[in-house]
């Protein structure tokens, strides 16, 4: 009888793998002709010819990788390519701040060599022998390591190490436990609390209130029948198109010292003008208005998932409406309520836009971190320590969510379609909820009305409502006769940069996110769970922490990106990636896996399966990810406020700067322009998708009938 | 006469998922031009076996050969096999023609040539005129034929079917299985076919391999399996059977104090199980047969009468093919059978 193959549960591609050789050749070509450094200049090969040892070694390793790949010597390819990548980083970091910063040539060569390494180890049996999967996983993991874990790690170490780079536990403890972070005098009658306590108090308050408001709105909408379907739609769009400080701006216009309402109260009732808005009440109010739509969406979904049969059962057991609500509906909502609270908590912690406008003397972590970096006394160590505290608080919240809600979850949706009617709320409760919901809506409406009119009157902050286009033209004037540029308005540059960065980062986000989703859902390989975790981690890191990390990590050679446009793009790609992953995972779950297998038995390679079968079927998810990452790149503030520069300014940062300079009308006018642009994009995409649905190609028979 | 050439050789293959042994040291051959069915209850390892032949699952141990080539370490797209999936797995975003062209284009055939051979296959399967339709615009039977055309167009050395009829209604199922069988014989295809339906297996196969809990329980021609099952499991799984535990001594089988003559064949005397098909039992008037009993249940089914008869051997199922009048419930009767038409299994 034959000898059985040793337990080797992998396929080894039989054909010689030319693709690996071509990728190695591309790496070598990049080394030969593309400028290595950030400032342009010579390619790696030229530098090697000039006698730079590190580049001689790199060229030799890359050539070895190409030779081995061409001859099918997979072990050699893996060793040479892997060594080349490690050598490049080692040499780069060894050269220190005065070395050459990696530029385009380095980027192409590094990615190509990483791909070579991945394909070669796949041919040696890793990743079940699938070179495409190996490439996706290894390259994305390497990118995440470079652009999430390296910078965040660097901030952690900045908080834990002393000036000489040695581990300094005492110094670290001093920094992390500093009294201005943790003191709790305000609770015991004093005036001041630590900034972490402030953040935690604010976050708890906002978490509780937004959950409550979300629940009230969800009860009105979900138990009110189809009448309020439009509400759901508006609420799902609002958070997407609203830059995070817009509500704060509107509140200033309404309740600031010279605000409309303040002035009215002053003239009518002689109530003295005060600065009550600047502090905990103002920030909490702004965050409440900003984040309750998110709580609403979550709770609306949870309410809809409660099977009517359960409430009907309670009804037939003679329970009153109040008893049903108290003993059936509310307990079933518990996991969703906890989830909404934690989400509000985390959003509030990470929020930067509202506190920067409204916090005044009430210091919170996100703004304090910013001022530690950008303020008069430049204190990067302190910023690092604060970032660690903020990250710690956020991770604790996420950890609680995982631990606690995982156990709480009740599955109330069964496979069978439960028909029936959800129970009515008790009349008094319904009326209370309705009243609250209407007031919330009226208030939100007023805020948006302020934003949309504020930019077009002379000074809404002081009640001067004379119509004018002055602010708009200050920002967006066009002078066709001008020789240098026709866009002479002061805001054009930041708008163009924003659109450019958003347009570049959106497709990259979609690619990275959906490819990750594909390998996570469709392939089984060692380390799959770890990879999934890696792709989702950046979701839990507050933007401020990312911003500080990027500034700390990427301001010196060899990874010197600060001040450029690349760092903005990278920041958006890796921050928005988890959304792409989630969208892709959800969409792929709907697509029958046997389609991939059929493609494979029809001789298609994994790459062909991806491009011809998976990607076309993922179109809706691709579109959703594109829209999300585009709009998110246009509204984000917290991370990029550290990264934007005078040369590459972004719309949101420009607006924040106007607010700080007291130029509210221009800030408001610009905000309304941003909202208009994003609404236009959203509606255009919806129109396009809607049309596609009518087309005959959009009724896919996804499961084939099995 | 030259010996038949091998189409598939499955050589001592095992498949482990963690600690679970899904396929346990299984070996079989499929001769060229033959249709072999893997039959068994769900979870017996038949689909895993098929997927290992396709290259969709790597084997844990053993070898897989397609004709004379060892493909154990080749992935699905590098094996000369095609598969028709239970769900058909037609690409929903491609027309019928694009679906059928997909394989040739994957192999690098140029577009015109691919279209030409795709058209030819579609004509063979009676799908001419459907080329530009989407899968969602076809009936279940048509989708199934497109799936077959898509697999056949590559002219694979082995064609695999994974429960291809389970999404069709009962009438269509009968017709389509005949079509598959005719196509296979006409084109002399080598086919490995998975089903859990024993009637389907009997109808289409040259050979049947019955699997149970990851192992081969028995293999043979349909007739061999039906007439000479090797175990209680097989006797019960393929066709209906009355199973009676008793004692074999000399030329008689006895249980519950009643004995009847049987041809023992090679079975030694001692404890044995008698398996007898319901249509091999004849229901006769009381006293005319060796096994007395009474009709517990009687039903008229058109082509036959069905009885459950309470006897000392237990309750036995009897098919009475004659257009006799239905016997009354609880009436006394007796059972008789041809001593050569029963199966004896040693216990």
């Amino acid at each position: 009888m034959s000898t059985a193959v040793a337990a080797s549960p992998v396929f080894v591609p039989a054909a010689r793998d030319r693709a690996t050789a071509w990728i190695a050749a591309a790496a070598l070509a990049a080394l030969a002709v593309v400028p290595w450094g950030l400032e342009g200049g010579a390619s790696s090969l030229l530098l090697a010819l000039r006698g730079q040892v590190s580049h001689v070694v790199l060229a030799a390793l890359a050539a070895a990788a190409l030779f081995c790949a061409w001859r099918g010597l997979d072990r050699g390819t893996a060793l040479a390519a892997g060594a080349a990548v490690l050598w490049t980083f080692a040499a780069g970091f060894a050269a220190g701040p005065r070395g050459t910063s990696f530029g385009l040539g380095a980027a192409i060569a590094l990615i190509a060599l990483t791909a070579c390494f991945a394909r070669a180890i796949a041919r040696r049996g890793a990743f079940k022998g699938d070179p495409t999967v190996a490439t996706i996983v290894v390259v994305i993991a390497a990118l995440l390591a470079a652009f999430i874990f390296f910078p965040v790690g660097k901030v952690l170490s900045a908080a834990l190490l002393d000036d000489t780079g040695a581990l300094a536990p005492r110094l670290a403890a001093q920094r992390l436990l500093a009294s201005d972070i943790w003191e709790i005098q305000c609770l015991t009658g004093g005036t001041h609390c630590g900034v972490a306590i402030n953040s935690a108090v604010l976050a708890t308050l906002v978490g509780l209130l937004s959950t409550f408001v979300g629940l009230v709105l969800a009860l009105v909408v979900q138990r009110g029948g189809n009448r309020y379907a439009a509400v759901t739609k508006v609420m799902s769009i609002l958070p997407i198109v609203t830059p995070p400080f817009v509500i704060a701006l509107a509140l200033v216009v309404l309740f600031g010292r010279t605000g409309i309402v303040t002035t009215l109260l002053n003239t009518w009732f002689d109530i003295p003008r005060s600065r009550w808005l600047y502090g905990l009440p103002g920030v909490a109010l702004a965050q409440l208005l900003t984040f309750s739509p998110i709580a609403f969406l979550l709770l609306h979904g949870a309410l809809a998932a409660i099977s009517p049969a359960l409430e009907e059962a309670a009804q037939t057991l003679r329970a009153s409406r109040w008893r049903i609500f108290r003993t059936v509906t509310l307990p079933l909502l518990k996991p969703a309520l906890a989830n909404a609270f934690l989400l509000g908590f985390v959003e509030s912690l990470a929020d930067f836009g509202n506190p920067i406008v409204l916090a005044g003397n009430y210091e919170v972590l996100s703004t304090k971190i910013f001022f530690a970096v950008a303020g008069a006394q430049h204190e990067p160590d302190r910023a690092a320590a604060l970032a660690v505290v903020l990250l710690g608080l956020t991770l604790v919240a996420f950890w609680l969510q995982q631990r606690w809600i995982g156990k709480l979850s009740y599955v109330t949706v069964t496979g069978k379609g439960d028909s029936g009617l959800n129970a009515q709320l008790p009349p008094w409760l319904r009326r209370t909820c309705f009243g609250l919901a209407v007031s919330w809506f009226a208030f939100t409406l007023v805020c948006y009305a302020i934003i949309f009119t504020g930019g077009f009157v002379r000074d809404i902050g002081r009640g001067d409502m004379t119509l004018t286009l002055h602010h708009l033209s200050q920002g967006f004037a066009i002078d066709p006769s001008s020789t240098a540029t026709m866009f002479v308005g002061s805001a054009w540059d930041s708008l163009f940069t924003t659109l450019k960065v958003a347009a570049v980062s959106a497709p990259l986000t979609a690619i990275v996110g959906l490819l990750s989703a594909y390998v996570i859902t469709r392939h089984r390989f060692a380390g799959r769970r770890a990879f999934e975790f890696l792709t989702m981690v950046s979701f839990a890191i507050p933007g401020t922490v990312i911003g500080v990390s990027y500034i700390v990590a990427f301001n010196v050679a060899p990874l010197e990106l600060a001040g450029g446009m690349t760092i903005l793009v990278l920041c958006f790609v890796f921050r928005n990636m988890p959304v792409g992953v989630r969208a892709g995972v959800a969409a792929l779950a709907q697509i029958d896996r046997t389609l991939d297998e059929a493609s494979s038995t029809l001789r298609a390679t994994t790459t062909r399966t991806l491009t011809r079968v998976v990607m076309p079927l993922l179109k809706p998810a691709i579109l959703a990810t594109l829209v999300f990452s585009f709009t998110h790149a246009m509204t984000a503030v917290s991370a990029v406020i550290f990264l934007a520069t005078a040369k590459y300014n972004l719309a949101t940062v420009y607006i924040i700067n106007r607010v700080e300079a007291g130029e509210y009308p221009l800030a408001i006018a610009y905000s309304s322009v941003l909202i208009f642009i994003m609404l236009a994009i959203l509606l255009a995409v919806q129109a396009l998708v809607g049309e596609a649905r009518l087309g005959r190609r959009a009724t896919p028979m996804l499961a084939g009938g099995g | 006469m030259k010996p038949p050439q091998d189409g598939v050789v499955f050589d001592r293959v095992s498949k482990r998922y963690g600690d679970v042994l899904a396929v346990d040291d299984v070996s079989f051959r499929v001769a060229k031009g033959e249709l072999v069915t893997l039959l068994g209850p769900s979870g017996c390892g038949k689909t895993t076996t098929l997927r290992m032949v396709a290259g969709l699952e790597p084997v844990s141990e053993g070898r897989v050969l397609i004709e004379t080539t060892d493909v154990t370490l080749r992935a699905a797209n590098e094996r000369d096999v095609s598969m028709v999936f239970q769900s058909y797995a037609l690409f929903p975003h491609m027309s019928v023609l694009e679906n059928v062209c997909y394989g040739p284009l994957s192999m690098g055939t140029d577009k015109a040539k691919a279209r030409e051979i795709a058209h030819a296959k579609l004509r063979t399967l009676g799908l001419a005129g459907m080329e530009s339709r989407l899968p969602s615009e076809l009936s279940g039977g048509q989708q199934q034929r497109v799936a077959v055309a898509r697999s056949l167009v590559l002219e694979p050395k082995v064609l695999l079917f994974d429960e291809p009829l389970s999404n069709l209604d009962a009438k269509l199922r009968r017709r389509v299985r005949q079509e598959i069988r005719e196509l296979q014989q006409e084109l002399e295809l080598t086919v490995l076919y998975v089903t859990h339906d024993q009637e389907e297996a009997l109808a289409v196969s040259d050979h049947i391999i019955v699997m149970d809990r990851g192992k081969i329980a028995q293999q043979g021609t349909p007739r061999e399996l039906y007439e000479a099952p090797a175990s209680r499991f097989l006797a019960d799984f393929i066709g209906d059977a009355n199973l009676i535990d008793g004692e074999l001594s000399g030329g008689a089988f006895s249980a519950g104090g009643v004995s009847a003559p049987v041809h023992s064949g090679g079975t030694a005397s001692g404890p044995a199980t008698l398996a007898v098909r319901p249509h091999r039992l004849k229901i006769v008037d009381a006293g005319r047969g060796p096994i007395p009993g009474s009709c517990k249940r009687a039903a008229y089914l058109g082509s036959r009468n069905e009885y459950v008869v309470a006897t000392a051997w237990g309750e036995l199922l009897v098919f009475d093919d004659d257009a006799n009048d239905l016997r009354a419930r609880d009436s006394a009767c007796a059972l008789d059978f041809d001593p050569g038409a029963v199966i004896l299994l040693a216990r």
Side-chain angles (χ1 to χ4, degrees), chain A residues 102-359:
Chain A
F102 293 163
L104 189 61
I108 297 175
L110 282 171
I111 290 178
L113 286 168
T114 309
C116 276
F117 169 75
R119 294 183 65 92
I121 60 167
R123 290 176 59 82
R124 299 281 308 162
F127 299 97
K128 300 225 155 156
D130 190 321
T132 309
V133 174
T135 310
I136 292 171
V137 173
V138 173
V139 170
I140 289 179
L143 288 172
L144 285 170
F147 294 110
I148 295 287
F149 293 92
F150 167 64
V152 172
K154 190 130 187 196
V155 160
L156 284 177
S157 67
L160 301 178
L161 304 181
D162 62 16
D163 295 338
T164 61
L167 190 66
R170 187 172 303 170
L171 190 62
Q174 223 171 61
R175 283 186 193 136
L176 292 177
L177 303 175
S179 66
D180 62 342
I181 300 181
W182 294 106
E183 71 185 335
I184 48 168
Q185 279 179 23
C186 60
L187 301 181
T188 56
T191 50
H192 250 68
C193 257
V195 59
I197 303 297
N198 278 351
S199 277
V201 168
L202 173 67
T204 310
L205 197 63
V206 170
L208 287 174
L209 288 175
S210 66
T211 305
F212 174 72
V213 172
L215 176 63
V216 166
L217 295 173
L219 283 173
V220 169
V221 170
Q222 209 275 325
R223 294 294 149 97
N226 283 332
R227 272 177 293 173
Y228 304 118
V231 175
T232 325
K233 191 153 190 182
V234 170
M235 297 284 261
S236 58
I237 289 181
L238 274 187
I240 298 178
V241 298
T242 310
F245 42 76
V246 160
I247 299 286
L249 285 182
L251 290 181
V252 169
V253 169
L254 286 170
F255 302 113
R257 253 182 72 77
T258 57
I260 299 171
V261 175
T262 314
T263 309
L264 287 181
L265 291 176
N266 185 272
T267 43
W268 291 351
F269 305 108
D270 250 358
I271 296 173
R273 296 171 187 272
S274 80
R275 297 181 54 84
W276 68 270
L277 186 67
Y278 298 94
L280 181 61
V283 185
L285 185 60
Q287 290 189 340
L288 175 61
L289 289 168
T290 313
F291 299 135
S292 27
I294 299 169
F296 161 78
L297 289 176
L298 215 146
L299 291 168
H300 183 266
L303 261 181
I306 293 177
S307 164
L310 295 173
E311 290 173 345
E312 284 179 341
Q315 225 167 338
T316 61
L317 296 168
R318 311 285 189 281
S320 69
R321 287 175 178 180
W322 170 240
R323 191 174 153 74
I324 295 173
F325 179 73
R326 201 168 44 84
T327 58
V328 178
T329 318
L330 211 51
L332 285 173
L333 278 182
K334 253 191 216 157
L337 288 170
N339 224 339
F341 167 75
L342 283 175
L343 210 62
F345 185 88
V346 167
E347 293 274 3
S348 165
L349 273 185
D351 184 27
F352 179 87
N354 289 313
I356 192 98
V357 177
L358 286 175

Side-chain angles (χ1 to χ4, degrees), chain B residues 10-69:
Chain B
F10 211 60
D11 182 14
R12 307 205 58 182
V13 174
S14 296
K15 175 70 187 180
R16 233 174 261 113
Y17 294 104
D19 293 338
V20 183
L21 201 55
V23 173
D24 183 5
D25 196 14
V26 165
S27 301
F28 61 83
R29 283 159 198 271
V30 179
K32 248 175 142 173
E34 200 184 42
L35 195 156
V36 171
T37 299
L38 291 168
L39 174 66
S42 62
C44 70
K46 59 188 190 300
T47 296
T48 306
T49 302
L50 190 78
R51 289 168 61 83
M52 286 193 286
V53 176
L56 294 169
E57 303 272 358
V59 305
S60 302
E61 260 164 56
R63 293 191 312 155
V64 181
L65 274 68
I66 304 294
E67 296 194 348
T68 52
T69 320

Side-chain angles (χ1 to χ4, degrees), chain B residues 182-196:
Chain B
E182 279 163 21
L183 194 72
Q184 181 261 333
Q185 287 177 328
E186 205 171 300
L187 303 178
E188 295 179 357
L189 302 170
T190 309
V191 172
L192 190 59
Y193 189 108
V194 159
T195 182
H196 65 270

